[in-house]
Amino acid sequence: QVQLVESGGGLVQAGGSLRLSCAASGIMFSIDVMGWYRQAPGKERELVASITSGGSTNYADSVKGRFTISRDNAKKMVYLQMNSLKADDTAVYYCNAAGVRVLLSRYLELWGQGTLVTVSS
């Protein structure tokens, strides 16, 4: 069984920083794309940032220049460094892994359980 587990959420003041971590566990051979999504109450889940196995990144316009996504392929982890946080960054943040190569040449998409980030203004 493969799974993702997020950590690092919490309460932070506007202008502060927070670092989220996501660990993938289980037997897997590769992960094509890892990313972070977020969902605020009453809103749709949205992509915050993603990173390919080769290191190519993509960010939502609202977080460009403030957030940085990175990954450690050996450790099967992905991180989201969040700086200059704003109140509207408040949401549950979910780790996502797409193109997860597992046994029998199968590919999976995985979601973490989510970690809450609350930014006070």
Side-chain angles (χ1 to χ4, degrees), residues 20 34-40 44-51 57-69 79-82 85 88-96 111:
L20 305 183
M34 302 189 78
W36 290 94
Y37 290 73
R38 67 186 181 188
Q39 187 168 25
E44 294 290 313
R45 188 173 299 186
E46 64 175 351
L47 176 66
V48 177
S50 64
I51 183 168
T57 59
N58 184 57
Y59 297 92
D61 288 342
S62 60
V63 307
K64 286 181 179 177
R66 300 188 298 119
F67 291 10
T68 302
I69 188 170
Y79 309 92
L80 186 68
Q81 179 65 48
M82 304 185 293
L85 284 162
D88 56 7
D89 292 319
T90 296
V92 176
Y93 284 70
Y94 297 91
C95 180
N96 171 264
W111 290 92

Side-chain angles (χ1 to χ4, degrees), residues 16-59:
S17 298
L18 209 58
R19 187 192 190 214
L20 305 183
S21 299
C22 173
S25 63
I27 300 175
M28 61 194 76
F29 300 101
S30 62
I31 303 173
D32 185 12
V33 182
M34 302 189 78
W36 290 94
Y37 290 73
R38 67 186 181 188
Q39 187 168 25
K43 293 187 176 181
E44 294 290 313
R45 188 173 299 186
E46 64 175 351
L47 176 66
V48 177
S50 64
I51 183 168
T52 69
S53 60
S56 180
T57 59
N58 184 57
Y59 297 92

Side-chain angles (χ1 to χ4, degrees), residues 30-33 96-102 106-110:
S30 62
I31 303 173
D32 185 12
V33 182
N96 171 264
V100 182
R101 181 74 155 81
V102 296
R106 300 178 70 180
Y107 291 87
L108 302 176
E109 183 178 20
L110 305 175

